[in-house]
Amino acid sequence: MKIVESPHEAYAHIDHWRRDGLRIGLVPTMGALHEGHLALVRQSRQECDVTAATIFVNPTQFGPHEDYAQYPRTPEADFQALSELDVDLLFVPPQAKLYSEGFSTYIHPPAIAEPLEGVCRPDHFRGVATIVLKLFHILPATVAYFGQKDYQQLAVIRRLVEDLDVPIRVVGCETVREPDGLAMSSRNRYLSPAERQAALSLWAALTTVKELFGAGTDQVAELEKAMEQTLYERGANRIDYARVVDCDSLQTLGRVDRPAVALIAAYVGATRLIDNILLGERGA
Ligand code: PAF
């Protein structure tokens, strides 16, 4: 595995592979890798000739009071995991290489960034859209892989690619869960043993809503109330949102009369966790 820090060097590798007509997979990450990230890498390895990964904790997607400084950084373990999976290229830029002095150009994210995370984390998707587009320029791969746990992020990236004619295919990969249902997340490392138990409240709320919907409840207010109740009962201490919305537009629904997604952002202790489940035709 070739590890590069310079955008020019990273571009040169991709450019070389493109000239050779290779299918290039890209897995952008912020490191602190877990099985969810490794599943993206495995999928890329299966579907592409070469795979590039990136590790960069992107400061512009964190709010002023968020966990940028504490965000877990585990470079040695990450390098080892990626090299064991035979990743061909790893791009690990220092911050100054991506945000040089005077940096002031940002992507205004699409409308789908506005609800949910957009309300709770106002500049988050501006930072995500900006860094993802930068990475797509530096590493113009054939396919880019993202996890569906970050459901709205995936929708924002798909829209960005479509709106700005970025010639990269975006693939969303299923959320990888612990055996008890907790969605894998780099932030799970923050949880104490008691909080780890309480974090199951998200999956409990999502499975509750799925069961209720399966049993015929289609009123969104009822479904959302059940999610909130389960979240609090099972140990979440604050809910940013627990919503059932249209799975494509993320717009509010009165009843689930089309494919929908239930999305949660909730706190367990000081840790903010997100998760989601599809309801309706596109749901399992
Ligand atoms: O999902 C993430 O890890 C990040 O938001 C991403 C897409 C790598 C951009 O920093």
Side-chain angles (χ1 to χ4, degrees), residues 28-30 37 56 58 61 128 131-132 146 150 153 157:
T29 82
M30 297 207 299
H37 297 112
F56 179 65
N58 173 38
Q61 70 188 74
V128 170
I131 193 66
V132 167
F146 296 91
D150 295 289
Q153 168 174 283
I157 294 169

Side-chain angles (χ1 to χ4, degrees), residues 2-18:
K2 181 94 185 145
I3 302 179
V4 301
E5 294 191 355
S6 132
H8 295 291
E9 216 186 316
Y11 181 87
H13 280 279
I14 303 282
D15 189 43
H16 178 81
W17 288 331
R18 284 172 71 99

Side-chain angles (χ1 to χ4, degrees), residues 5 19 46 68 91 124 144 150 155 166-167 176 184 186-187 205 211-212 214 234 246 252:
E5 294 191 355
R19 283 166 202 267
Q46 256 172 27
Y68 173 70
F91 179 49
H124 172 63
D150 295 289
V166 183
V176 178
M184 300 238 178
S186 303
R187 290 189 168 98
E211 276 165 28
L212 282 174
R234 298 289 291 264
D246 180 289
T252 302

Side-chain angles (χ1 to χ4, degrees), residues 218-238:
D218 64 357
Q219 294 301 312
V220 166
E222 227 174 296
L223 295 170
E224 291 179 348
K225 196 165 156 221
M227 277 201 289
E228 281 193 16
Q229 216 170 335
T230 310
L231 280 165
Y232 284 133
E233 273 170 17
R234 298 289 291 264
N237 49 296
R238 182 179 135 197

Side-chain angles (χ1 to χ4, degrees), residues 80-227:
Q80 176 151 358
L82 294 174
S83 112
E84 278 169 15
L85 288 180
D86 287 329
V87 163
D88 299 277
L89 177 69
L90 174 60
F91 179 49
V92 278
Q95 191 174 315
K97 292 269 187 206
L98 292 190
Y99 294 110
S100 56
E101 216 187 312
F103 179 94
S104 59
T105 306
Y106 291 91
I107 293 293
H108 182 81
I112 202 156
E114 285 164 19
L116 305 161
E117 291 294 290
V119 173
C120 307
R121 305 183 70 192
D123 281 332
H124 172 63
F125 285 128
R126 181 178 88 137
V128 170
T130 303
I131 193 66
V132 167
L133 191 63
K134 281 169 72 69
L135 292 172
F136 284 175
H137 281 132
I138 296 166
L139 302 129
T142 323
V143 192
Y145 296 86
F146 296 91
Q148 282 170 0
K149 184 176 79 71
D150 295 289
Y151 190 94
Q152 192 176 8
Q153 168 174 283
L154 180 59
V156 166
I157 294 169
R158 285 193 197 284
R159 190 75 246 172
L160 167 92
V161 159
E162 164 122 19
D163 288 355
L164 299 183
D165 304 298
V166 183
I168 289 188
R169 194 162 77 81
V170 174
V171 170
C173 305
E174 251 182 57
T175 302
V176 178
R177 299 182 180 281
E178 302 282 359
D180 60 8
L182 180 67
M184 300 238 178
S185 163
S186 303
R187 290 189 168 98
N188 291 351
R189 292 164 200 247
Y190 298 149
L191 302 169
S192 69
E195 289 169 347
R196 168 68 182 72
Q197 196 55 31
L200 287 175
S201 57
L202 278 82
W203 183 233
L206 293 172
T207 46
T208 299
V209 88
K210 180 105 183 163
E211 276 165 28
L212 282 174
F213 178 68
T217 309
D218 64 357
Q219 294 301 312
V220 166
E222 227 174 296
L223 295 170
E224 291 179 348
K225 196 165 156 221
M227 277 201 289

